[in-house]
């Protein structure tokens, strides 16, 4: 019997980390959802973060996201930890950088697992850990002319 080392494609096909990216182009919910499709998954949880028009009681006109060069590696580290801690069948996470307008998608993450409870838990932890540990910073511009860096 051949090992997976003899057929590298077999190992890649079983990797639950299906899509991990930091992009300066618009994000697609459909792409992320399709990436976590798995016949053995009974539950898929998806989270979409959008740019809102207010923060902390102030009106927001727009914002920009910046990422440290290590951000994609840190995103992979966070995703690997989620896949190790939960029965993840497939996982995807994409974050936008650059200038965004109100209503734009800033982040889309999804996790599929055998059951819904673990899919919800894994997805919640994925977005929380991503926001806390991946070096991506938000520069908000307010309607009163002020601005603020968040996450620095």
């Amino acid at each position: 019997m051949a090992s997976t080392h003899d057929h590298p494609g077999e190992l890649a096909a079983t990797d639950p980390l299906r899509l991990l990216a930091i992009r300066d182009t618009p994000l697609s919910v459909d792409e992320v959802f399709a990436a976590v499709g798995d016949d053995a998954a009974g539950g898929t949880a998806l989270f979409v973060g959008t740019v809102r028009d207010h923060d902390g009681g102030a009106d927001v006109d727009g914002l920009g996201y910046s990422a440290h060069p290590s951000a994609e590696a840190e995103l992979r580290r966070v995703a690997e930890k989620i896949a190790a801690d939960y029965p993840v069948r497939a996982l995807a996470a994409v974050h936008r950088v650059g200038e965004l307008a109100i209503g734009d998608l800033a982040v889309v993450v999804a996790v599929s697992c055998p059951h819904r409870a673990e899919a919800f838990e894994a997805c919640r932890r994925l977005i929380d850990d991503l926001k806390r540990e991946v070096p991506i910073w938000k520069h908000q511009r307010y309607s009163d002319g002020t601005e603020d860096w968040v996450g620095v």
Side-chain angles (χ1 to χ4, degrees), residues 56-135:
D59 292 335
V60 174
D61 284 346
L63 56 79
Y65 282 101
S66 300
H68 187 273
S70 68
E72 280 200 8
E74 289 301 305
L75 177 58
R76 176 164 292 279
R77 185 188 57 75
V78 165
E80 288 171 346
K81 182 80 168 106
I82 300 303
D85 290 351
Y86 294 90
V88 171
R89 298 295 308 171
L91 178 151
V94 184
H95 203 295
R96 178 102 183 259
V97 292
E99 295 301 311
L100 283 76
I102 305 304
D104 283 351
L105 305 184
V107 61
V108 182
V109 301
V111 179
S112 61
C113 293
H115 304 286
R116 72 177 175 274
E118 55 213 16
F120 276 123
E121 290 173 25
C123 189
R124 172 71 184 253
R125 178 131 154 251
L126 175 59
I127 188 60
D128 288 350
D129 288 359
L130 184 160
K131 297 306 277 181
R132 183 174 49 253
E133 299 177 29
V134 178

Side-chain angles (χ1 to χ4, degrees), residues 8-64:
E10 289 179 23
L11 183 60
T14 61
D15 184 357
L17 307 184
R18 305 281 174 83
L19 172 63
L20 298 173
I22 296 174
R23 296 183 177 156
D24 61 0
T25 56
L27 305 183
S28 166
V29 171
D30 290 339
E31 177 192 23
V32 172
F33 181 68
V36 297
D38 190 288
D39 289 345
T44 300
L46 182 123
F47 173 81
V48 179
T50 55
V51 178
R52 62 182 180 265
D53 66 359
H54 66 283
D55 189 29
D59 292 335
V60 174
D61 284 346
L63 56 79

